[in-house]
Each structure stands twice: as C-alpha cells, then as structure tokens.
Amino acid sequence: MIIKKNQSLLKLNSFKIDVYAKEYVEITCESELLELYRQHRKKKILFIGGGSNILFTKNFNGLVVHLNIKGKNYKKINDKYVMVSASSGENWNDLVNWCVNRDFGGIENLSLIPGNVGGAPVQNIGAYGRELKDVLVSCRVYNWENGSFCEYECSQCDFDYRNSIFKKNKNLLITKVNLKLTSKNHLIISSYSGINEELKKLGVKNASIKDISIAVSNIRSRKLPNLDKIGNAGSFFKNPIIEKNQLDFLVKNFENIPYYSVENNLFKIPAAWLIEKCGFKGKKFINFGVSKKQPLVLVNYGGANGKEILQLSKSIVSTVKKIFRINLETEVNII
C-alpha cells in the first residue's frame, strides 16, 4: 500500500475532470483496508470506486482511497439457483457478461450500466424492469466508523429508488456482493416496448438471457454517449416521484405528459421529458453541455471543469422547478 502525493484523478472519474488529490492510495485487498484504518483513519478521506457517479468541482485536499478489490466466483445453491460473489472493484458490465456467458440469469437487464460492482448496491442500480435489490442476497461491508467487517442482508440495506443505506452512510464501504441468480428456467423480463422492438430487429422470437443482454446493450449504446469518448456520469438526475395533486396539475397544464404509477398514490415522471421540454436537450456551451442523445446526461466534451457542469445542472433544476413545479434531484455525488 503506497500513498502518492498530488495524484491526478483524471482517469478515475468518468466525467474526465482534471483535478488532483493531495494524497491517493489504491486498496486491492481487505487487509490493506484494515491497515489504512489503523494508520490514516483521522485524515480527511474520500472513498471512490469506478468513478462513474461523481462530479469533482475542485481538487480534493485530503486522501482519496480507490477501492479496487478484484475477484469473482460462484457456487451452486440447488438445481435452479447459483450464488455469484463479486468483489467491489470488478467492473459491473464485465460481471454481467461473465454471468450471461455461464447462463446465469437475473442481471441481464442491467447490461452496460457503467461503474464497478461496489457502486451497484449504493445506487440500487436498475433498468428495464430490474433493480439490484431483486437479486442481491447480501453485501460484505467494512464500517469505517468502528473498523469492523460485517454482513448486510438485503433486508438491511434500506433499498429504494436509486437509494440505499450505503448512499446515506458513507462510512459503510462495500467490499463484496452476493447475488442469487437462476441457472435454469430464467424469468425473462422484456415487457418494455423498446426491448421487444430490438429483439424483433435481431430476429429473436424466444428470447434467452443473452438475447436480452444484447438488446439492452444495443439500446443503451444508441441512447447514451460513449464513456470512452465523451466524459459523463450516465443519468445525472433521478426521475421525480410526485403525489396525485401534483400530477393533476401537470396533466391539466401540459398535454401528453408521460407518467407511471409507482405505489401508494405516487407517480413517476421521466426527468428526460421535463428537461427536453425546457429546451436543454443537446444544448452545448463550448466544451460541455447536455447530451444530444439523452437529456438526463450532462457531458464534458473535453477540458470542462466541474463547476461549469454543476452550474448547468443548477440551471436545469431551477428551470424545471419554475415551469413544472417539480424538484429534480441529482443521482451524481458532487465533490
């Protein structure tokens, strides 16, 4: 475990913001995490993983800890299920492909979501009818407050829409996740029209989990900017969930506004629709802006700084609030 001084974080955040950490260390095993706690727990510390859900607006005047523990395996539970265990530093999409190629079902709808395994429970990642909580059994967690390891069962994770106990408490560091996946008789979730249309294009009639994964990947590739080429953090905003009285106002005043029933008389409004209607889709400001493909995605075309992107996000939030009386919340962590 080597602590470096004045380390660039350019390659450690998907927004490709060129900022520096006063100190930086990479953690590749749990024993290093224990050593870090013993020697450096009193320092100002920021833990990062894949860097796909963070916007740096300035240099970090402290110790940045890159949790990069690798490893994955599986074991048979019974004739129908397997338990897949993956360490936090594994790339999420690589894990999806690894499972799909072994015919393990349950996370194929979550294909091509950026980031590492450790960030998946934090955000309770979800797409096309699936959320991580649907397959997660437990997480191995290091509590930075008391320096101990523990297991969090799924029921203890306080999962909600793009939320969890790990997002609320930054001292809970995930080092491994355990997923219960199907090994036969897979539940194929392709009720979304976009997936069914893509399967039709591919000439698929009886879809396998691999077909679903390919279809989802194709759709996401068309809708989202390429992370390798354009800096971004995926969806910058959550889809707002509103009450019935708010919905009644919107339906009355805005023709064809899309909405979806959630539960307990609550409704979800697509944030992308709101942002596009406010005129932000594809808007560019020299070297940053809003994606032409997906209004939820703010982009760094090269050389932008985090403060510029943050200011753009605030402008979007205030405009949506003014026009639709809806408070947009960010998914991305602002540093």
Side-chain angles (χ1 to χ4, degrees), residues 149-162:
F149 281 101
C150 56
E151 290 288 324
Y152 271 71
E153 301 297 322
C154 184
S155 60
Q156 297 174 294
C157 295
D158 291 346
F159 284 130
D160 200 352
Y161 172 62
R162 301 298 176 269

Side-chain angles (χ1 to χ4, degrees), residues 195-211:
I195 293 181
N196 291 324
E197 289 170 10
E198 187 65 27
L199 291 171
K200 190 174 180 181
K201 285 181 187 177
L202 295 170
V204 175
K205 293 183 178 179
N206 298 309
S208 66
I209 59 171
K210 189 155 194 173
D211 294 324

Side-chain angles (χ1 to χ4, degrees), residues 184-328:
K184 60 171 61 174
N185 301 325
H186 308 299
L187 173 64
I188 303 295
I189 299 179
S190 60
S191 57
Y192 282 74
S193 59
I195 293 181
N196 291 324
E197 289 170 10
E198 187 65 27
L199 291 171
K200 190 174 180 181
K201 285 181 187 177
L202 295 170
V204 175
K205 293 183 178 179
N206 298 309
S208 66
I209 59 171
K210 189 155 194 173
D211 294 324
I212 296 294
S213 179
I214 292 171
V216 169
S217 296
N218 289 350
I219 294 168
R220 290 183 68 89
S221 294
R222 286 197 300 270
K223 287 187 174 182
L224 299 170
N226 189 329
L227 269 176
D228 293 331
K229 297 179 180 179
I230 300 176
N232 70 91
S235 297
F236 200 93
F237 303 98
K238 298 179 183 178
N239 290 318
I241 295 176
I242 62 173
E243 297 180 346
K244 182 67 165 58
N245 62 332
Q246 289 177 283
L247 179 65
D248 291 340
F249 163 78
L250 292 170
V251 170
K252 181 180 179 181
N253 289 278
F254 302 98
E255 187 178 1
N256 300 322
I257 184 169
Y259 62 90
Y260 309 93
S261 178
V262 183
E263 58 183 358
N264 300 326
N265 221 25
L266 296 175
F267 301 86
K268 184 184 293 184
I269 306 292
W273 187 89
L274 299 172
I275 295 167
E276 183 171 356
K277 288 300 178 182
C278 289
F280 284 99
K281 184 178 180 180
K283 202 163 187 178
K284 187 176 181 181
F285 304 86
I286 305 176
N287 55 0
F288 68 97
V290 180
S291 171
K292 298 176 183 178
K293 293 183 174 184
Q294 170 55 265
L296 278 177
V297 180
L298 306 189
V299 294
N300 174 13
Y301 290 108
N305 64 61
K307 288 182 179 178
E308 293 171 320
I309 294 171
L310 177 60
Q311 188 55 49
L312 171 59
S313 74
K314 288 180 177 180
S315 178
I316 291 171
V317 169
S318 64
T319 305
V320 168
K321 173 70 173 177
K322 181 179 180 180
I323 295 175
F324 296 103
R325 302 183 187 176
I326 288 178
N327 293 312
L328 280 187

Side-chain angles (χ1 to χ4, degrees), residues 23-271:
E23 293 183 309
Y24 165 85
V25 65
E26 180 184 16
I27 298 297
T28 59
C29 62
E30 290 186 350
S31 61
E32 290 181 341
L33 195 54
L34 293 170
E35 182 184 348
L36 182 77
Y37 180 81
R38 287 193 299 269
Q39 297 182 11
H40 303 282
R41 66 180 179 273
K42 293 183 179 180
K43 289 184 176 180
K44 179 182 178 182
I45 292 181
L46 173 66
F47 295 95
I48 63 172
S52 62
N53 196 46
I54 192 168
L55 174 64
F56 284 103
T57 62
K58 57 187 176 183
N59 294 332
F60 187 75
N61 188 30
L63 174 61
V64 168
V65 179
H66 180 204
L67 294 173
N68 198 27
I69 303 171
K70 297 293 180 69
K72 57 183 178 289
N73 58 66
Y74 72 90
K75 64 180 180 180
K76 182 178 178 181
I77 298 175
N78 54 39
D79 289 341
K80 295 181 180 179
Y81 295 99
V82 294
M83 184 76 75
V84 171
S85 298
S87 295
S88 58
E90 290 288 335
N91 176 271
W92 172 258
N93 193 55
D94 287 349
L95 177 65
V96 173
N97 292 333
W98 186 83
C99 291
V100 167
N101 290 336
R102 285 162 176 77
D103 201 32
F104 299 157
I107 55 176
E108 58 280 353
N109 290 51
L110 308 181
S111 295
L112 218 62
I113 292 178
N116 286 356
V117 167
V122 177
Q123 289 292 110
N124 184 27
I125 59 172
Y128 300 104
R130 273 284 188 190
E131 288 184 317
L132 185 76
K133 69 177 178 63
D134 299 327
V135 296
L136 185 111
V137 174
S138 64
C139 298
R140 180 164 168 80
V141 174
Y142 187 70
N143 189 330
W144 189 256
E145 285 183 312
N146 58 31
S148 65
F149 281 101
C150 56
E151 290 288 324
Y152 271 71
E153 301 297 322
C154 184
S155 60
Q156 297 174 294
C157 295
D158 291 346
F159 284 130
D160 200 352
Y161 172 62
R162 301 298 176 269
N163 208 349
S164 70
I165 193 170
F166 311 112
K167 193 168 186 178
K168 300 166 191 171
N169 186 346
K170 305 295 185 184
N171 288 307
L172 299 176
L173 311 175
I174 297 167
T175 61
K176 183 185 289 185
V177 302
N178 299 304
L179 311 175
K180 184 180 180 182
L181 304 181
T182 56
S183 56
K184 60 171 61 174
N185 301 325
H186 308 299
L187 173 64
I188 303 295
I189 299 179
S190 60
S191 57
Y192 282 74
S193 59
I195 293 181
N196 291 324
E197 289 170 10
E198 187 65 27
L199 291 171
K200 190 174 180 181
K201 285 181 187 177
L202 295 170
V204 175
K205 293 183 178 179
N206 298 309
S208 66
I209 59 171
K210 189 155 194 173
D211 294 324
I212 296 294
S213 179
I214 292 171
V216 169
S217 296
N218 289 350
I219 294 168
R220 290 183 68 89
S221 294
R222 286 197 300 270
K223 287 187 174 182
L224 299 170
N226 189 329
L227 269 176
D228 293 331
K229 297 179 180 179
I230 300 176
N232 70 91
S235 297
F236 200 93
F237 303 98
K238 298 179 183 178
N239 290 318
I241 295 176
I242 62 173
E243 297 180 346
K244 182 67 165 58
N245 62 332
Q246 289 177 283
L247 179 65
D248 291 340
F249 163 78
L250 292 170
V251 170
K252 181 180 179 181
N253 289 278
F254 302 98
E255 187 178 1
N256 300 322
I257 184 169
Y259 62 90
Y260 309 93
S261 178
V262 183
E263 58 183 358
N264 300 326
N265 221 25
L266 296 175
F267 301 86
K268 184 184 293 184
I269 306 292

